[in-house]
Amino acid sequence: MEKISAGASFLDTLLHGGYDSDIITTLFGPSGIGKTNLCLLAAVKIAESGKKVLFIDTEGGIAVERIKQISNDYETVLRRILFFNPATFEEQNDVFEKLKGMVSDQIGLIVADSISMLYRLELGKSEEVYEVNSALGRQIAYLVEIARRKKIPILITNQVYADFDHRDEVKMVGGDLLKYGSKCLLELKRTEEGREIILRKHRSLPEGKKVKFRIVQKGVEEVL
């Protein structure tokens, strides 16, 4: 199974070589936990290898300064990352409609950070819940098809909300749509010691594996 580096050796070790190249991997957790940092690390690694990255940023949170910190040649890296910045769920839908036509052998990674924020906002103001859910379902289906047919790894981030039946747990926004579309689920959470990544789902690795980490200037590092 071909894999790509996550951009952090400890995460590559957790995943036995990195992210699988023919599936969707979802990073989920609370705001500010480090999901975007992990996406950028993988994107920079791919760009430094010579391939291009399609990066859908719905939160307007991509800082060029951060890319400068974690890359060895940020100018070259930035030329190889194509950013999309949809401001509404309709615009996000348009981006996904265009994705198929943009996929080529030059693309080494597709990132959607976050796939659920604009969806969540749209649900809050729309009476057409079925239509909004159907649109999100089509977006996930596009990504699944691209990953399977083109062997391009897909990395998405997702928001969470509290599970009132289990106070110590969270649920992903989008529920089963995103859970079943992703073959690898990585939960990021805060603990008393800091931050940790927990492998919640994988097609070939045992669930429950975890690693503690912290965010540093050059990326992320394991906390032993």
Side-chain angles (χ1 to χ4, degrees):
M1 177 61 61
E2 188 176 342
K3 294 174 179 270
I4 65 159
S5 173
S9 58
F10 72 88
L11 191 49
D12 286 345
T13 299
L14 180 76
L15 297 172
H16 287 206
Y19 300 123
D20 289 357
S21 62
D22 61 343
I23 63 169
I24 296 175
T25 296
T26 295
L27 308 169
F28 68 100
S31 177
I33 192 65
K35 302 184 296 293
T36 298
N37 264 281
L38 293 183
C39 289
L40 287 175
L41 282 170
V44 165
K45 193 77 172 179
I46 287 292
E48 289 178 342
S49 77
K51 292 216 167 186
K52 295 181 180 179
V53 178
L54 303 180
F55 201 116
I56 303 164
D57 170 28
T58 68
E59 300 188 359
I62 302 305
V64 173
E65 289 302 315
R66 186 59 177 152
I67 293 177
K68 286 183 180 181
Q69 290 175 346
I70 63 178
S71 63
N72 297 317
D73 181 2
Y74 77 90
E75 290 180 340
T76 298
V77 164
L78 285 172
R79 282 197 296 270
R80 291 177 180 157
I81 303 177
L82 180 59
F83 289 102
F84 300 88
N85 303 101
T88 66
F89 189 65
E90 183 177 358
E91 288 181 9
Q92 177 174 317
N93 213 41
D94 290 341
V95 170
F96 276 85
E97 292 284 352
K98 295 173 184 174
L99 275 184
K100 284 186 186 179
M102 302 183 69
V103 170
S104 71
D105 293 340
Q106 292 298 308
I107 305 300
L109 176 68
I110 297 174
V111 178
D113 179 36
S114 109
I115 200 163
S116 61
M117 191 189 84
L118 298 176
Y119 159 79
R120 202 174 191 178
L121 291 175
E122 187 70 15
L123 274 184
K125 66 183 183 181
S126 174
E127 296 180 0
E128 304 296 332
V129 173
Y130 176 80
E131 292 297 328
V132 177
N133 282 328
S134 294
L136 181 63
R138 285 193 299 273
Q139 292 174 16
I140 298 299
Y142 287 155
L143 295 180
V144 169
E145 182 179 350
I146 290 169
R148 285 180 179 172
R149 293 185 182 277
K150 302 294 186 180
K151 300 297 186 287
I152 296 175
I154 311 287
L155 199 58
I156 67 178
T157 69
N158 197 2
Q159 300 176 333
V160 296
Y161 61 95
D163 182 347
F164 291 106
D165 293 326
H166 303 89
R167 294 292 180 139
D168 58 338
E169 297 179 7
V170 296
K171 290 186 175 181
M172 288 198 304
V173 174
D176 291 345
L177 278 174
L178 287 160
K179 184 185 295 183
Y180 295 128
S182 306
K183 296 300 182 187
C184 177
L185 294 175
L186 292 167
E187 181 182 3
L188 281 69
K189 64 187 299 185
R190 291 186 176 87
T191 67
E192 292 182 359
E193 294 81 23
R195 307 166 198 248
E196 70 179 9
I197 301 172
I198 306 168
L199 185 60
R200 292 298 187 195
K201 175 183 176 182
H202 198 281
R203 58 185 175 182
S204 61
L205 299 174
E207 299 172 8
K209 294 173 63 178
K210 60 180 69 176
V211 62
K212 291 182 171 58
F213 75 101
R214 60 174 162 247
I215 298 172
V216 295
Q217 183 169 356
K218 291 297 291 182
V220 295
E221 65 182 20
E222 184 177 7
V223 176
L224 301 172

